[in-house]
Amino acid sequence: MVNLLENLSDLIKQEKWTRVSISEITTTIFNKYDDLIEKILKEDKANEAIDICENTLKTSPNSIIALYVSQMLFLKTGYNDFTNGEKLISIFKENKKNNIVKFLSDKFLQFGFSKNILLDYINLLENENEQEETLIPYLEKLAKLDFSEVKNSKRLAKYFE
């Protein structure tokens, strides 16, 4: 069996060498990374994998693989730190890859809540003209995270009125 940590390192090196364009990245690729993440967790190699990713991010701060794998490992091992996820989402947001932003936001928000990810997700849903009922659960979560957001509170009050 191929060593999972070597496999992760090889994927990161391949990403560096080939310089995959953001436009070539699809949700299917992330599902492939999820398989690797599950195997890493099953073999109890999460800390070592996180170290590989964090070391990569020191020299390649925009490594999609390192950002995604480390974020998912953080979340799946109970760390409620969304820093890498926020950075990853901002990369795709800047490149107008809304389908990836939505996919990643959905995935990360299953584990907890980040104000920035929630705001991005709500804006994305609004731009897609989603029904108000779809937005309300996310607006409520945002209100619980940041009750000083007056615009959000007013919007919720109007809806429930």
Side-chain angles (χ1 to χ4, degrees):
M1 180 174 177
V2 175
N3 183 341
L4 294 172
L5 299 177
E6 285 178 17
N7 191 2
L8 176 60
S9 292
D10 290 345
L11 281 172
I12 291 171
K13 286 176 192 170
Q14 184 180 5
E15 176 189 40
K16 239 187 229 182
W17 294 333
T18 59
R19 298 179 192 225
V20 174
S21 168
I22 293 287
S23 62
E24 297 171 24
I25 296 176
T26 64
T27 57
T28 308
I29 289 172
F30 292 106
N31 291 329
K32 190 172 86 174
Y33 300 150
D34 285 338
D35 293 339
L36 177 62
I37 291 165
E38 289 306 316
K39 290 175 185 172
I40 289 169
L41 289 168
K42 193 180 283 185
E43 289 197 15
D44 200 26
K45 301 284 185 188
N47 289 334
E48 294 91 335
I50 289 171
D51 287 343
I52 290 169
C53 292
E54 293 299 313
N55 286 332
T56 299
L57 292 171
K58 288 176 186 172
T59 58
S60 301
N62 291 335
S63 168
I64 302 299
I65 296 170
L67 286 168
Y68 181 74
V69 171
S70 64
Q71 182 62 69
M72 289 305 293
L73 287 171
F74 280 140
L75 294 174
K76 288 184 178 235
T77 55
Y79 295 104
N80 199 19
D81 179 4
F82 288 89
T83 307
N84 290 343
E86 290 172 357
K87 177 152 181 133
L88 185 61
I89 286 173
S90 75
I91 290 169
F92 286 104
K93 194 169 100 177
E94 288 170 11
N95 287 281
K96 297 178 180 19
K97 294 282 287 183
N98 291 340
N99 61 329
I100 303 286
V101 171
K102 188 173 183 180
F103 173 82
L104 292 172
S105 296
D106 274 338
K107 191 169 273 283
F108 298 152
L109 291 174
Q110 291 174 11
F111 294 94
F113 301 103
S114 155
K115 179 182 174 185
N116 294 331
I117 292 176
L118 269 171
L119 284 170
D120 287 341
Y121 192 64
I122 290 167
N123 288 333
L124 188 64
L125 292 175
E126 287 174 333
N127 290 340
E128 291 179 348
N129 296 320
E130 286 290 336
Q131 297 292 327
E132 191 76 4
E133 292 79 27
T134 306
L135 296 170
I136 293 303
Y138 300 105
L139 291 169
E140 287 175 324
K141 289 171 185 159
L142 182 60
K144 289 176 185 174
L145 282 176
D146 185 7
F147 53 86
S148 65
E149 217 26 78
V150 177
K151 179 183 162 193
N152 184 42
S153 298
K154 186 176 178 180
R155 185 173 177 184
L156 281 170
K158 228 178 185 180
Y159 175 80
F160 286 114
E161 190 176 64

